Amino acid sequence: MPYNALARRLACCFPLDEDDLRAIDRLCAVPRRRVAARREFLREGDRPGQVHILLEGWASRLVMLPDGRRQITAFHLPGDILWRPMGDVRMDFSILALTPAMVVPIASGAFEPFVTAHPGIAMALATQDRVAEAVQRRWLVNLGQRTAFERIGHLFCELHHRLDAIGLAHENSFAFPVTQVELAEATGLTPVHVNRVLRDMRLQGLIDLEHRALRILQFSALAQRTLFDPAYLEPHGPLRLA
Amino acid sequence: MPYNALARRLACCFPLDEDDLRAIDRLCAVPRRRVAARREFLREGDRPGQVHILLEGWASRLVMLPDGRRQITAFHLPGDILWRPMGDVRMDFSILALTPAMVVPIASGAFEPFVTAHPGIAMALATQDRVAEAVQRRWLVNLGQRTAFERIGHLFCELHHRLDAIGLAHENSFAFPVTQVELAEATGLTPVHVNRVLRDMRLQGLIDLEHRALRILQFSALAQRTLFDPAYLEPHGPLRLA
DNA sequence: CGCCACTTTGAAGCACTTCAACATATGTGG
DNA sequence: CCACATATGTTGAAGTGCTTCAAAGTGGCG
């Protein structure tokens, strides 16, 4: 892992040269912010003046309704842009750490000129943005059209694919710090029902989930039964394996 | 209506001067594309080389699953950007006209330099993009957390707000070309259930919907019962009424 | 006029929720 | 290291919001 998580992620989105990668490393060489697990470190209504990048750990993006209902609208992995200021726009969601996390806040006044000066990086950022948009669209399809089993299974496949791309999955297994309550908040189900679906998946030999670690035992079967097609995660066609 | 729909929409997002507005008008003064109602005029898998802007009519953004399930992920109104090419990224959704529509295709090679040359317009476009993102996030919250009544009512409030901003609503009523089947595809419900919810709304005196025209009879009651808060549609604070 | 798309209603079924209780991990201070 | 508190996971039984299936009614348009 020569470069940081952002550099590795952007390199997946658009071909970057050594200069670009080193520049990203230098850009992120500013004081970082350690965040404890379960802390809400960016809040709805805030107007942070810095770009916030997740360098280590998982985070969730949450929208709360006034009556207490909660919807997680995204899971963020290392290298994700959590927030990029624009004019005086307020955040309409919160960001919560799911694990101990490391975040870099970079002043807009430093970030935007940096992007302008590096066209390749600008392109990679734009592509990353497109993929994030496609992911959110897919979640919408999940909630609107899929059964509980399909929603959860599809999410597992998506996370595996994203983690694998940044080297955080091995042999179809990966750290999975999401509780059943959070899984329910992300899939629009009740925690009780999430629990029953997970039991079924285990009984069918599809997954193994314990101690915050998930192993997908039969990836192709799960992908098929949840209609998972990774095309939306691969803007430039499928990854070539070396 | 001195300027076209795009100019009026962008002016809502960021203050533009006369020069900017005239420039947008000129940019759109290229051959247009008339599209018949119900036609799918941009397709999943396509890689259109032009920016596609909706100037007149309504359109829907649709994702189809291989087994035929359909999810509408957005309703597009005049002034919306339907597609903006980026690298060689493919569309992962289709665009369908809901009414007879007018679309301007503008070559990327003309559009992007134009944006660069007009910082105000670039800002307005970025803001419009943010709002579109927030709308999609809200739809996710709708599907994940809300009941059928809330989903449909919230959508009515959102569309009223967006149409009102561009002068297409009068006295809480507006053209509403969406069929019950399409409403079902957008809200993740069955057409049958949509029909029953609409009946209840009518019986409660909340709405009047017939002949493709919707009037919201009790806006504040509907907004309250569907937890509608327009903040996500107003990046720069609530509109000031003259 | 007659077709086809759209709307409406009823009755039965089921995926998921709700409520309640218990079991098992995780963390904390003594 | 144990005692205890709290968060997380698990299971059962009953309820319901929405779906499914089926059929009939309505309206726009050639």
Side-chain angles (χ1 to χ4, degrees), chain A residues 138-159:
Chain A
R138 228 65 197 179
W139 281 43
L140 202 74
V141 176
N142 274 351
L143 293 191
Q145 301 299 323
R146 298 207 223 257
T147 64
F149 180 96
E150 291 169 327
R151 289 184 210 179
I152 296 173
H154 191 277
L155 178 59
F156 287 169
C157 289
E158 175 191 304
L159 287 170

Side-chain angles (χ1 to χ4, degrees), chain A residues 2-25:
Chain A
Y3 300 107
N4 72 34
L6 178 62
R8 280 179 277 129
R9 275 292 296 282
L10 291 180
C12 297
C13 294
F14 191 79
L16 299 177
D17 58 32
E18 290 281 324
D19 276 355
D20 288 329
L21 295 172
R22 270 194 299 269
I24 296 170
D25 253 3

Side-chain angles (χ1 to χ4, degrees), chain B residues 150-161:
Chain B
E150 292 169 327
R151 289 184 211 181
I152 295 172
H154 192 278
L155 178 59
F156 287 168
C157 291
E158 176 193 301
L159 287 171
H160 172 267
H161 197 282

